[in-house]
């Protein structure tokens, strides 16, 4: 059995002045004889594998501090602080005695010596012995100003701070000051109370753990808070004691029988309140004086979590009540808030203990419990549950994914944990969508292949993505599909405009922007699954209707989605874009923007510049064939002239090998038909999923939202255009999926000089003479069934 007395946790202080765990092990003092002298070192060996965590020579000049009976803190270099946190006080006392023995100090001291410079040490040694003692003025009202000046004067000298701290402790001076405070407050002696504020603030800045043990003890801490209420900068004192004693009630969700644990929880909360609320924001100079206060709080939290985690009966009872259907809402709210704080405190644990902590929560059923509480109407409960969920996702996305993939066997789509999270994101009532942004980040982590298991277990990636696209993607895209549904083409207004509905509500636009950001992430990191979903749902065409939104940021999100797709340089995507004539809404937005030099203008031009630079030949041919007339007036950049130049160069280069290129194009078309045929079964699955979405409660919610949006738009002025050439974006999902040719566009009675768009249906890069007759016949048949719409002209 290991020696628990010498079991310690090793901490180092990082650049942000935060303590970091370096591991758990056992400490010992080792002796080594050298030619010059005998050396004594502190060594810590890891309890997990026996490796050496620390080997630190005990120098006679190093200042060691003993804090809270179980801590030893020291600095080995200018910016390298170390701390040993002992499991038992006896072990701390044993090592402290050995350190003091090496340095020739009395073990009763709290600090062996101060890290002072040589000049100050020399001056101190030259002083007469009587002058080395700090004489404290009598604790009387008329001497308070003198006491305040004394405390303030020692802050710049480490050795004088130490001497003052020893004097305060040896004479019980702190309790005398707090007794005087009570009498001054009873007599309403304002001047004395203001001076006591300065004194107590100075005592905190002495940065001595030994003083904190007295100041924050049960019988003193409320009086300390009382002194700090009388800040001279305030016209009226703040009532912090009233808040701590009356408003801030300590709720035991399950009775805590350990009195020491209860006392530690109370103390930590009050000290944290002093640091965060009562004390003014410290200056850069003052922050160094409060480092020990931060350490005091940190180690208290470590101790609280450790004590709670070791009490298995307590956690078991908490979970039993949390998942019990008979538990009242108020009680469940308290339990959720307890777990939120518990998870927050757990961040102070060292990595291996934190792993054990979250695994314990998972085994007890924290994820099924979150399903219950996230479905509650209470906004506070939802927020707390979201915070807990974020801790779990950050700790182990794989653990969460494993849980949600097991759910379909015993749950409906609507109650799957991941769908509950998506719906909470979609239905966030916050106008700024703060909660939705947080949840979107968590979803992004869950669907990120980068944090899925190593290639040794590729099943997680394929299985989870298949699960997500089958059971969850339709929930995520429901608001997008609902807000981009086409208007009734039978109505005169719809026929005149031919524009899909675009959300004008700012909150809805923000939500769609978040969804588009997540979908753009999917395009970049998922391959097969998102490609199949985009093509079967004709998703890009629906997204590009948002180019008409009056919210520029939403139009940019839609454009970014298309830009990411084109950036893949995938010919299947390129064929889909050309068949659906999906450059049309982008070019319309460019022409609508006119000559304004703004982000939308630059982003659209960058899209076409990328196609030119990367020489994506099929898209270049499609753009020049269909839109060269519309774009020839844009001369402030050379992008579109460059596209036409690329097209003409390719046309000339291929004039000597037409049959080979034509055969390649048709071969590619056959490959695509085979690929689409393989996905017919999945298309039917998607239709079933869509029907499920429409019948859900959320589908009803979105239908009502859509009705409100349509009603709002009827009362708003119509959007005017400023471009000199405008196309009508009227192709349906069927056009894009079955490969039918889009109707050609023309400008006010004149036919564009470029070839009709129909000739690019086979991804041919040039015009083949032997195809002209066949294409003209096809175009005439198409015009009989689908009359050409009058193009829009700029005002």
């Amino acid at each position: 059995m290991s020696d628990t007395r010498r079991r310690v946790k090793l901490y180092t202080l990082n650049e942000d002045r935060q303590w970091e765990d370096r591991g758990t092990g056992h400490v010992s003092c080792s002796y080594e004889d050298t030619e010059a002298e005998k050396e004594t070192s502190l060594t810590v060996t890891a309890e997990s594998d026996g490796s050496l965590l620390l080997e630190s020579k005990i120098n006679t000049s190093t200042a060691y501090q003993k804090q809270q009976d179980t801590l030893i803190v020291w600095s080995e270099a200018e910016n390298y602080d170390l701390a040993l946190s002992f499991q038992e006080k006896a072990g701390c006392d044993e090592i402290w005695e050995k350190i003091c023995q090496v340095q020739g100090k009395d073990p009763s001291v709290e600090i062996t010596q101060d890290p002072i410079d040589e000049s100050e040490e020399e001056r101190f040694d030259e002083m007469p012995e009587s002058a080395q003692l700090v004489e404290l003025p009598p604790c009387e009202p008329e001497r308070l100003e003198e006491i305040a000046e004394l405390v303030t004067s020692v802050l710049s000298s480490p050795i004088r701070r130490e001497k003052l701290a020893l004097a305060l402790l040896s004479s019980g001076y702190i309790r005398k000051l707090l007794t005087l405070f009570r009498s001054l407050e009873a007599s309403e002696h304002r001047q004395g109370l203001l001076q006591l504020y300065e004194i107590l603030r100075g005592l905190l800045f002495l940065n001595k753990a030994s003083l904190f043990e007295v100041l924050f003890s049960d019988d003193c801490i409320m009086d300390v808070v009382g002194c700090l209420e009388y800040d001279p900068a305030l016209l009226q004192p703040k009532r912090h004691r009233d808040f701590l004693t009356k408003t801030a009630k300590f709720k035991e969700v399950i009775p805590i029988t350990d009195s020491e644990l209860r006392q530690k929880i109370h103390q930590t909360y009050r000290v944290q309140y002093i640091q965060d609320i009562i004390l003014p924001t410290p200056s850069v100079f003052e922050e160094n004086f409060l480092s020990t206060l931060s350490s005091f709080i940190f180690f208290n939290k470590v101790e609280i979590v450790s004590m709670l985690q070791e009490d298995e009966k307590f956690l078991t009872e908490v979970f039993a009540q949390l998942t019990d259907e008979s538990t009242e809402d108020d009680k469940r709210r308290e339990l959720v808030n307890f777990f939120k704080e518990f998870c927050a405190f757990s961040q102070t644990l060292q990595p291996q203990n934190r792993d054990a902590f979250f695994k314990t929560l998972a085994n007890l059923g924290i994820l099924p419990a979150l399903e219950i509480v996230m479905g509650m109407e209470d906004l506070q409960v939802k927020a707390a549950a979201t915070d807990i969920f974020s801790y779990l996702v950050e700790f182990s996305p794989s653990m969460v994914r494993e849980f949600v993939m097991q759910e379909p066997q015993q749950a409906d789509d609507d109650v799957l944990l991941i769908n509950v999270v998506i719906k909470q994101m979609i239905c966030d009532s916050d106008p700024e969508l703060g909660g939705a942004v947080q949840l979107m980040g968590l979803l992004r982590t869950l669907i990120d292949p980068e944090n899925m298991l190593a290639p040794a277990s590729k099943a997680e990636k394929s299985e989870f993505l298949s699960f997500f696209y089958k059971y969850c993607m339709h929930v995520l895209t429901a608001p997008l599909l609902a807000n981009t549904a086409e208007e009734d083409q039978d109505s005169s207004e719809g026929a005149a405009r031919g524009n899909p509905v675009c959300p004008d509500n700012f909150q809805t636009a923000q939500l769609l922007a978040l969804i588009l950001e997540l979908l753009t992430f999917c395009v970049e990191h998922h391959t097969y699954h998102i490609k199949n979903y985009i093509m079967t749902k004709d998703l890009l065409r629906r997204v590009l209707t948002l180019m008409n939104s009056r919210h520029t940021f939403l139009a940019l999100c839609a454009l970014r989605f298309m830009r990411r797709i084109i950036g893949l340089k995938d010919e299947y995507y390129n064929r889909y874009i050309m068949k659906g004539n999906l450059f049309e809404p982008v070019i319309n937005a460019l022409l609508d923007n006119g000559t304004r030099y703004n982000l939308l203008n630059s982003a659209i031009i960058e899209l076409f510049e990328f196609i030119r630079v990367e020489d994506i030949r099929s898209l270049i041919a499609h753009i020049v064939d269909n839109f060269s007339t519309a774009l020839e007036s844009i001369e402030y950049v050379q992008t579109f002239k460059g596209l036409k130049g690329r097209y003409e160069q390719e046309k000339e280069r291929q004039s000597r090998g037409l049959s080979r290129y034509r055969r390649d194009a048709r071969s590619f078309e056959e490959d695509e038909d085979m690929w689409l045929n393989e996905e017919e079964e999945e298309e039917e699955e998607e239709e079933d999923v869509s029907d499920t979405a429409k019948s859900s409660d959320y589908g009803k919610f979105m239908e009502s939202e859509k009705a409100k949006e349509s009603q709002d738009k009827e009362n708003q002025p119509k959007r005017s255009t400023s471009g000199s050439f405008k196309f009508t974006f009227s192709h349906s999902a069927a056009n894009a999926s079955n490969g039918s040719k889009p109707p050609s566009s023309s400008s006010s009675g004149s036919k564009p000089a470029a070839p009709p768009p129909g000739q690019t249906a086979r991804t041919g890069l040039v015009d083949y003479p032997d195809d002209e007759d066949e294409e003209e016949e096809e175009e005439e048949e198409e015009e009989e069934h689908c009359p050409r719409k009058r193009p829009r002209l700029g005002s």
Side-chain angles (χ1 to χ4, degrees):
M1 185 176 178
S2 62
D3 183 4
T4 58
R5 290 185 308 153
R6 294 193 178 187
R7 190 168 183 261
V8 296
K9 294 178 183 178
L10 175 64
Y11 294 91
T12 60
L13 198 65
N14 61 23
E15 294 179 355
D16 298 325
R17 307 298 296 172
Q18 299 294 323
W19 288 103
E20 292 183 352
D21 263 305
R22 295 301 181 186
T24 299
H26 292 84
V27 64
S28 62
C29 285
S30 59
Y31 302 93
E32 183 179 352
D33 288 336
T34 63
E35 295 181 0
E37 59 181 350
K38 291 184 178 180
E39 292 184 352
T40 306
S41 300
L42 291 175
T43 59
V44 179
T45 54
E47 67 177 1
S48 57
D49 55 10
S51 60
L52 188 64
L53 297 179
L54 174 70
E55 184 173 12
S56 173
K57 179 184 175 183
I58 302 176
N59 292 315
T60 56
S61 59
T62 301
Y64 293 87
Q65 271 189 295
K66 183 182 177 185
Q67 302 178 6
Q68 303 181 48
D69 292 332
T70 56
L71 282 174
I72 297 178
V73 183
W74 74 97
S75 298
E76 290 214 336
E78 184 176 351
N79 293 314
Y80 189 62
D81 292 356
L82 295 164
L84 293 177
S85 177
F86 289 78
Q87 181 170 335
E88 295 185 11
K89 180 179 181 296
C92 182
D93 292 339
E94 179 185 345
I95 298 298
W96 181 251
E97 288 178 5
K98 292 181 179 179
I99 292 173
C100 292
Q101 181 181 355
V102 173
Q103 293 197 338
K105 303 292 182 180
D106 184 350
S108 63
V109 300
E110 297 290 337
I111 183 171
T112 57
Q113 53 192 298
D114 274 295
I116 59 176
D117 57 58
E118 293 182 2
S119 59
E120 183 176 358
E121 190 174 20
E122 289 173 359
R123 290 197 306 270
F124 184 78
D125 290 340
E126 292 172 0
M127 294 172 64
E129 185 176 351
S130 59
Q132 294 184 22
L133 301 177
V134 177
E135 294 186 6
L136 296 173
C139 194
E140 299 172 354
E142 57 271 12
R143 307 295 294 271
L144 287 176
E145 183 176 358
E146 183 181 349
I147 300 171
E149 291 178 356
L150 172 63
V151 174
T152 305
S153 66
V154 304
L155 295 180
S156 59
S157 169
I159 191 66
R160 294 178 67 192
R161 291 205 308 270
E162 176 63 24
K163 293 297 181 182
L164 177 59
L166 290 174
L168 291 169
L169 290 172
S170 62
S171 60
Y173 203 77
I174 293 176
R175 284 184 166 80
K176 294 178 183 177
L177 286 172
L178 298 178
T179 302
L180 179 60
F181 161 74
R182 290 192 290 270
S183 63
L184 291 177
E185 188 175 43
S187 61
E188 299 182 359
H189 192 299
R190 179 167 176 77
Q191 183 61 31
L193 293 172
L194 297 179
Q195 291 168 341
L196 272 173
Y197 169 87
E198 297 293 345
I199 294 171
L200 265 296
R201 184 168 176 268
L203 295 185
L204 294 176
F205 283 169
L206 289 178
N207 210 26
K208 299 299 176 184
S210 54
L211 291 182
F212 293 160
E213 293 290 345
V214 178
L215 290 169
F216 302 147
S217 60
D218 285 347
D219 58 330
C220 294
I221 190 168
M222 295 310 295
D223 287 330
V224 172
V225 172
C227 291
L228 296 175
E229 289 178 354
Y230 292 92
D231 186 347
L234 302 175
L235 295 177
Q236 294 294 329
K238 296 287 186 180
R239 299 184 177 276
H240 296 298
R241 284 171 293 176
D242 286 349
F243 175 83
L244 290 173
T245 57
K246 298 177 182 178
T247 307
K249 296 294 184 181
F250 177 64
K251 297 180 179 179
E252 297 182 53
V253 291
I254 302 295
I256 297 176
T257 57
D258 190 334
S259 59
E260 182 182 356
L261 173 59
R262 189 186 300 107
Q263 185 273 335
K264 189 71 68 176
I265 292 173
H266 285 303
Q267 183 188 61
T268 304
Y269 175 79
R270 291 164 179 170
V271 177
Q272 188 85 61
Y273 184 87
I274 290 174
Q275 184 187 50
D276 296 341
I277 307 298
I278 299 180
L279 291 178
T281 303
S283 64
V284 175
F285 175 72
E286 291 172 338
E287 280 184 355
N288 295 327
F289 288 150
L290 295 174
S291 61
T292 305
L293 181 61
S294 299
S295 301
F296 185 94
I297 296 171
F298 174 85
F299 289 114
N300 263 19
K301 289 181 178 179
V302 170
E303 194 170 347
I304 290 170
V305 175
S306 299
M307 294 172 74
L308 284 173
Q309 192 175 356
E310 291 170 3
D311 192 342
E312 296 180 0
K313 293 183 179 180
F314 178 83
L315 286 180
T316 304
E317 181 63 24
V318 170
F319 267 99
Q321 293 198 22
L322 184 63
T323 55
D324 189 347
E325 294 182 359
S326 63
T327 302
E328 296 181 357
D329 289 346
D330 290 343
K331 181 69 172 180
R332 186 174 281 113
R333 186 182 304 117
E334 293 175 1
L335 291 165
V336 174
N337 285 327
F338 163 77
F339 270 114
K340 174 186 172 182
E341 290 190 51
F342 196 21
C343 290
F345 274 33
S346 72
Q347 302 307 296
T348 61
L349 294 173
Q350 58 185 3
Q352 58 265 37
N353 286 355
R354 189 160 60 246
D355 291 353
F357 169 79
F358 280 112
K359 287 177 182 176
T360 300
L361 293 186
N363 293 334
L364 289 171
I366 185 65
L367 288 168
L370 284 179
E371 280 186 340
I372 298 174
V373 296
M374 292 184 83
M376 296 175 63
E377 296 298 325
D378 193 309
L379 295 179
Q380 291 183 351
V381 169
K382 285 185 176 182
T386 300
D387 289 337
I388 297 171
F389 185 67
S390 68
Y391 286 121
L392 295 171
V393 172
E394 290 168 7
F395 162 70
S396 176
S398 294
M399 181 182 72
V400 178
R401 285 191 286 261
E402 181 181 359
F403 170 78
V404 297
M405 281 192 292
Q406 294 172 352
E407 287 187 287
Q409 303 172 5
Q410 68 250 2
D412 297 329
D413 287 2
D414 291 340
V415 297
L416 294 177
L417 175 61
I418 197 164
N419 282 348
V420 171
V421 172
I422 292 173
K423 289 179 182 179
Q424 184 168 331
M425 180 186 85
I426 290 171
C427 301
D428 186 7
S429 58
D430 179 10
E432 300 297 327
L433 296 184
V437 171
Q438 181 185 8
L439 289 170
M440 192 274 290
L442 298 177
L443 288 172
R444 181 170 175 161
T445 301
L446 287 174
I447 64 175
D448 186 358
E450 295 297 326
N451 62 46
M452 294 183 184
L453 293 179
S457 178
K458 292 183 178 179
E460 181 186 14
K461 179 178 178 180
S462 60
E463 291 178 5
F464 179 76
L465 291 182
S466 297
F467 163 86
F468 181 79
Y469 280 86
K470 182 177 182 180
Y471 293 102
C472 309
M473 183 57 95
H474 69 277
V475 182
L476 178 64
T477 57
L480 181 63
L481 298 178
N483 283 281
T484 56
E486 290 187 338
E487 292 183 359
D488 185 2
Q489 296 298 318
D490 295 334
S491 67
S492 58
E493 184 179 359
R497 288 190 294 168
N499 281 339
V501 175
C502 290
D504 289 326
N505 178 276
F506 179 73
Q507 188 171 354
T508 302
Q510 278 188 306
L511 174 62
L512 296 187
L514 284 178
I515 295 173
L516 280 177
E517 183 179 343
L518 203 58
L519 291 175
T520 304
F521 176 85
C522 293
V523 168
E524 184 176 5
H525 292 85
H526 305 164
T527 52
Y528 163 79
H529 295 88
I530 188 65
K531 183 191 297 184
N532 179 52
Y533 191 83
I534 289 174
M535 292 186 177
T536 55
K537 288 292 187 182
D538 197 15
L539 189 63
L540 179 57
R541 185 186 66 82
R542 300 292 288 270
V543 167
L544 289 176
T545 63
L546 300 175
M547 296 295 295
N548 292 322
S549 174
R550 65 187 181 91
H551 299 288
T552 306
F553 70 87
L554 183 55
L556 286 168
C557 286
L559 183 66
R560 190 181 303 117
F561 181 69
M562 184 179 190
R563 171 65 176 81
R564 194 60 54 87
I565 290 175
I566 291 176
L568 297 176
K569 296 187 285 188
D570 185 321
E571 277 302 315
Y572 288 115
Y573 274 131
N574 294 345
R575 280 291 289 171
Y576 164 68
I577 291 171
M578 292 185 295
K579 284 182 178 181
N581 200 26
L582 299 182
F583 279 108
E584 189 173 325
V586 177
I587 292 175
N588 280 341
L590 177 64
L591 298 175
D592 268 353
N593 193 64
T595 58
R596 285 174 291 180
Y597 179 54
N598 53 22
L599 185 57
L600 182 63
N601 174 273
S602 298
I604 294 175
I605 290 175
E606 191 277 336
L607 172 69
F608 290 102
E609 182 68 15
F610 174 82
I611 295 172
R612 184 192 70 80
V613 171
E614 296 296 325
D615 196 18
I616 306 177
R617 299 176 184 181
S618 58
L619 296 183
I620 291 174
H622 175 75
I623 293 167
V624 174
D625 284 346
N626 291 277
F627 307 109
S628 58
T629 303
L631 298 172
E632 63 185 7
S633 62
I634 299 179
E635 299 180 346
Y636 52 86
V637 291
Q638 299 302 309
T639 297
F640 301 107
K641 287 185 178 180
L643 286 172
K644 194 168 185 179
R646 289 265 191 185
Y647 171 78
E648 292 173 351
Q649 289 174 6
E650 185 64 23
K651 185 175 181 180
E652 182 180 351
R653 184 162 51 246
Q654 294 183 10
S655 62
R656 294 182 298 274
L658 295 180
S659 60
R660 180 172 63 84
Y661 281 102
R662 183 177 180 190
R663 186 165 58 250
D664 290 346
R666 289 179 174 174
S667 172
F668 177 80
E669 194 172 69
E670 292 172 1
D671 290 342
E672 183 186 28
D673 290 339
M674 291 178 61
W675 185 83
L676 292 174
N677 289 335
E678 291 173 358
E679 307 307 327
E680 286 180 357
E681 293 183 4
E682 295 205 14
E683 290 180 24
E684 295 174 1
E685 261 186 18
E686 294 288 351
E687 290 175 2
D688 295 340
V689 168
S690 178
D691 292 339
T692 303
K694 290 179 182 177
S695 64
S696 66
D697 293 338
Y698 174 71
K700 296 176 183 178
F701 168 76
M702 289 307 303
E703 287 176 5
S704 64
E705 287 295 311
K706 180 180 174 183
K708 293 178 183 177
E709 291 288 341
S710 301
Q711 187 176 4
D712 293 341
K713 287 189 171 189
E714 292 177 1
N715 301 325
Q716 291 181 349
K718 305 299 183 291
R719 184 167 178 248
S720 62
T721 61
S722 56
S724 59
F725 195 102
K726 197 73 181 287
F727 292 92
T728 302
F729 184 37
S730 58
H731 307 299
S732 66
N735 290 41
S737 59
N738 64 20
S740 63
K741 300 176 180 60
S744 60
S745 303
S746 62
S747 63
S748 191
S750 63
K751 190 173 182 178
Q759 75 177 46
T760 62
R762 299 192 187 99
T763 62
L765 300 184
V766 296
D767 183 15
Y768 302 110
D770 57 344
D771 287 340
E772 288 180 357
D773 296 338
E774 180 183 351
E775 289 174 0
E776 287 177 1
E777 292 175 3
E778 290 175 357
E779 189 174 39
E780 288 174 1
E781 291 178 6
E782 189 174 317
E783 289 182 353
E784 290 176 3
H785 296 89
C786 182
R788 183 180 302 163
K789 294 184 180 179
R790 182 172 60 83
R792 291 174 287 166
L793 298 176
S795 56

